[in-house]
Amino acid sequence: MKANFFANMKISRKLVAVFLATSVIAMGVNIFIYFNLNQALNKINSVFASNISLNELSDGLNKTHQGLTGYLETKGTDDLELYFASYQNVKVMMRQLNSNITDSNVKLSERDIRNMLDTYLKIADQAVQAKRGRDIDEYTSKYNECTKIRDYL
């Protein structure tokens, strides 16, 4: 009876039915593609944002190390000011990194970077204190540790 119903329809109604069915299928495919593309773009945006913040963090770390190096070599106040300003900047950026245990590789890497930065900053402070205390062996040792951590980061 159903096949008979379709056979008895006028050709114009059959064309409209086929057109509507095709349009519904095409719309469904387009909606599926749209949502998948939107998810992919969101992931790409988060990767770019993360990459930009890590580059800024790297620049801050390099400025901190530059200030530390200059201060330990010359004991100049400009270098010490650069060190402290960059130190504070890195500390602020570091707080934005993940500090929780997670199964996401990206978040786990952020956590590792945060921990290494924290270690770097503590050792750099120790190097500055040793320089103020005129303990050459100590600040040289601490500076070498900082350099290794910075190179690894």
Side-chain angles (χ1 to χ4, degrees):
M1 176 128 183
K2 289 184 182 178
N4 215 4
F5 173 75
F6 193 69
N8 289 336
M9 285 177 63
K10 292 182 182 179
I11 189 96
S12 61
R13 290 187 189 251
K14 287 180 184 177
L15 286 173
V16 169
V18 169
F19 175 75
L20 286 176
T22 306
S23 296
V24 167
I25 291 170
M27 190 171 82
V29 168
N30 282 333
I31 289 171
F32 176 76
I33 290 171
Y34 171 78
F35 283 115
N36 282 335
L37 185 62
N38 201 20
Q39 282 182 329
L41 287 175
N42 286 338
K43 287 180 184 178
I44 289 170
N45 283 339
S46 70
V47 167
F48 280 137
S50 176
N51 195 21
I52 288 170
S53 67
L54 288 176
N55 283 338
E56 289 172 354
L57 190 59
S58 177
D59 290 344
L61 178 64
N62 287 333
K63 284 182 183 178
T64 303
H65 196 72
Q66 177 186 352
L68 178 66
T69 301
Y71 176 71
L72 295 179
E73 287 176 353
T74 64
K75 204 172 182 179
T77 56
D78 291 342
D79 292 317
L80 190 60
E81 287 175 10
L82 174 64
Y83 167 75
F84 282 124
S86 301
Y87 177 98
Q88 291 303 321
N89 192 21
V90 168
K91 200 121 172 123
V92 167
M93 288 187 282
M94 185 181 82
R95 288 187 190 120
Q96 296 171 355
L97 295 175
N98 178 49
S99 62
N100 300 323
I101 297 173
T102 180
D103 60 351
S104 167
N105 287 337
V106 172
K107 294 294 183 184
L108 190 59
S109 294
E110 279 187 16
R111 182 173 180 255
D112 291 343
I113 290 169
R114 181 183 174 127
N115 290 337
M116 284 189 286
L117 281 170
D118 189 45
T119 301
Y120 174 89
L121 295 176
K122 286 177 183 174
I123 294 171
D125 270 345
Q126 292 170 1
V128 169
Q129 294 305 320
K131 175 70 174 184
R132 286 182 175 165
R134 301 177 191 252
D135 188 349
I136 296 171
D137 291 336
E138 182 69 14
Y139 79 73
T140 302
S141 169
K142 297 298 181 186
Y143 175 76
N144 289 336
E145 282 183 59
C146 285
T147 302
K148 286 179 187 175
I149 293 171
R150 192 216 49 189
D151 291 344
Y152 185 75
L153 281 167

